[in-house]
Amino acid sequence: MKSAFRNAYFFTVSLSRSLNPNTNPNLNLSPIFHKLPLLSTTTTYLSLPLLISRHRKAPGRSFSTTLTMSGGADSPSPSLDKQFEELRSKLEESGRLREKIRAVVLEIESTTRLLHSGLLLVHQSRPVPEVLEKAKARIGVLKGLYNRLAEIILECPGQYYRYHGDWRSETQIVVSLLTLMHWLETGNLLMHTEAQEKLGLNSLEFGLDIEDYLIGVCFMSNEMPRYVVNQVTAGDYDCPRKVLKFMTDLHAAFRMLNLRNDFLRKKFDGMKYDLRRVEEVYYDVKIRGLTATGDSNGNQGVVEGES
């Protein structure tokens, strides 16, 4: 028991001096060392973990160890470097492509704002041919921009829907303006294929997404209640009947679609309220006797509640 205590004491003192060089050098422990027997290997190995643990907990002291591991750290695998180099190259190429797309989309957005501002004049009872003439001049610009966008996308075949979100919202607004112009001119809905032709798109390579077209049509329906009110104010009492017939047919056609609970579904639900506002204007006009008698098509637009 005394031998074990002496061995532990000897190791503690020697380790403390090696770990803490600030120990008092005038302290002479040689008489004690001569009276203590040599440390055994077993005692050293058993005491080392405990002493290291106590030293690490002691405040104001530093402890460092140097571990020599056999084999050392291996260099990264060549196959791993090759893979991440390829990934880096693809990401940089994708970033450059997105910058080119974004530059064209910004021009589309700017042209669309000008087109929209011109079409808003129709709510001020301006002559429709005059409004359409100025608006049609912008369609050629949009067609050229979409051709440039198609050329960029064709540089990476099969990646249309990867970058589709970069111009999706702008395209939906463009479609809404085109359908409004077409209705003002013809009284009918602009078909999907006709919208593609106006923008110079090819369904096989760079086409007009179906959901973008449908959402654009829903956006167009939002303009109808305001248009009807302004036309009635200007004295066109037959306008509500025409718009109500168009909106009723359009709403019935949308009900044929099995829509998911997404953005398109929400926009279609909003069309119901647009139709109801047009109905209210028509009924007010008819009750006041401002419409032609014998109209059998004007009261077909009642919207029933949907589940």
Side-chain angles (χ1 to χ4, degrees), residues 237-253:
Y237 301 118
D238 193 43
C239 179
R241 179 187 63 81
K242 297 177 181 178
V243 175
L244 181 58
K245 177 65 170 58
F246 170 76
M247 292 287 293
T248 303
D249 295 341
L250 181 62
H251 185 268

Side-chain angles (χ1 to χ4, degrees), residues 247-302:
M247 292 287 293
T248 303
D249 295 341
L250 181 62
H251 185 268
F254 262 88
R255 291 185 66 110
M256 297 172 59
L257 304 176
N258 184 19
L259 301 178
R260 303 184 301 273
N261 189 20
D262 54 6
F263 184 71
L264 176 57
R265 174 71 191 192
K266 293 178 181 178
K267 296 307 299 180
F268 166 64
D269 292 339
M271 185 186 297
K272 172 178 61 178
Y273 300 102
D274 297 331
L275 178 55
R276 186 166 297 169
R277 290 173 61 190
V278 174
E279 286 177 340
E280 293 173 355
V281 175
Y282 172 73
Y283 292 150
D284 288 344
V285 171
K286 189 170 184 178
I287 288 174
R288 288 168 173 79
L290 300 177
T291 59
T293 59
D295 179 17
S296 60
N297 296 326
N299 55 356
Q300 297 179 357
V302 178

Side-chain angles (χ1 to χ4, degrees), residues 4-5 17 38 43 51 54-55 59 99 108 125 127 154 173 216 218 220-221 225 245 271 278 290-291 297:
F5 177 75
R17 283 193 170 184
L38 295 176
T43 304
L51 294 172
R54 289 181 177 178
H55 181 80
E99 290 178 359
I108 293 176
S125 301
L154 290 178
I173 297 175
C218 292
M220 183 270 291
S221 72
K245 177 65 170 58
M271 185 186 297
V278 174
L290 300 177
T291 59
N297 296 326

Side-chain angles (χ1 to χ4, degrees), residues 208-228:
L208 176 61
D209 184 74
I210 295 178
E211 288 192 7
D212 292 346
Y213 166 76
L214 294 175
I215 292 174
V217 172
C218 292
F219 284 156
M220 183 270 291
S221 72
N222 300 150
E223 296 289 336
M224 289 304 182
R226 180 185 177 188
Y227 177 74
V228 168

Side-chain angles (χ1 to χ4, degrees), residues 50-218:
L50 179 60
L51 294 172
I52 292 175
S53 175
R54 289 181 177 178
H55 181 80
R56 286 179 173 174
K57 294 179 181 179
R61 295 186 179 182
S62 61
F63 182 80
S64 61
T65 57
T66 304
L67 298 177
T68 305
M69 302 178 64
S70 60
D74 295 335
S75 59
S77 172
S79 60
L80 191 63
D81 289 345
K82 182 180 179 181
Q83 172 185 271
F84 277 85
E85 180 63 26
E86 293 176 354
L87 294 177
R88 182 190 63 81
S89 177
K90 290 180 180 180
L91 288 175
E92 291 180 354
E93 180 64 25
S94 177
R96 288 191 293 268
L97 192 62
R98 286 188 184 277
E99 290 178 359
K100 295 168 64 176
I101 292 174
R102 188 56 186 166
V104 178
V105 170
L106 288 176
E107 295 185 44
I108 293 176
E109 184 179 357
S110 176
T111 306
T112 303
R113 285 198 301 267
L114 296 175
L115 176 60
H116 193 190
S117 63
L119 281 178
L120 288 178
L121 297 176
V122 77
H123 295 300
Q124 301 177 8
S125 301
R126 298 283 290 273
V128 173
E130 177 185 343
V131 174
L132 293 179
E133 183 180 358
K134 295 181 179 179
K136 286 180 180 180
R138 305 289 179 184
I139 297 180
V141 179
L142 287 173
K143 186 174 182 180
L145 292 173
Y146 273 96
N147 287 335
R148 286 172 53 190
L149 191 59
E151 293 175 358
I152 296 174
I153 297 301
L154 290 178
E155 296 178 4
C156 50
Q159 300 293 322
Y160 174 87
Y161 284 104
R162 179 181 179 182
Y163 303 101
H164 173 233
D166 292 341
W167 66 83
R168 182 170 191 173
S169 60
E170 288 78 10
T171 301
Q172 293 167 0
I173 297 175
V174 169
V175 171
S176 68
L177 299 178
L178 292 179
T179 52
L180 179 59
M181 292 173 58
H182 187 78
W183 183 85
L184 291 172
E185 188 174 13
T186 65
N188 298 318
L189 177 67
L190 179 69
M191 298 291 107
H192 179 264
T193 54
E194 294 174 338
Q196 284 195 139
E197 292 177 0
K198 286 182 177 293
L199 296 176
L201 303 180
N202 187 339
S203 58
L204 298 178
E205 299 174 350
F206 185 89
L208 176 61
D209 184 74
I210 295 178
E211 288 192 7
D212 292 346
Y213 166 76
L214 294 175
I215 292 174
V217 172
C218 292

Side-chain angles (χ1 to χ4, degrees), residues 11-24:
F11 186 82
T12 303
V13 174
S14 59
L15 182 61
S16 176
R17 283 193 170 184
S18 63
L19 296 177
N20 187 7
N22 296 325
T23 306
N24 187 1

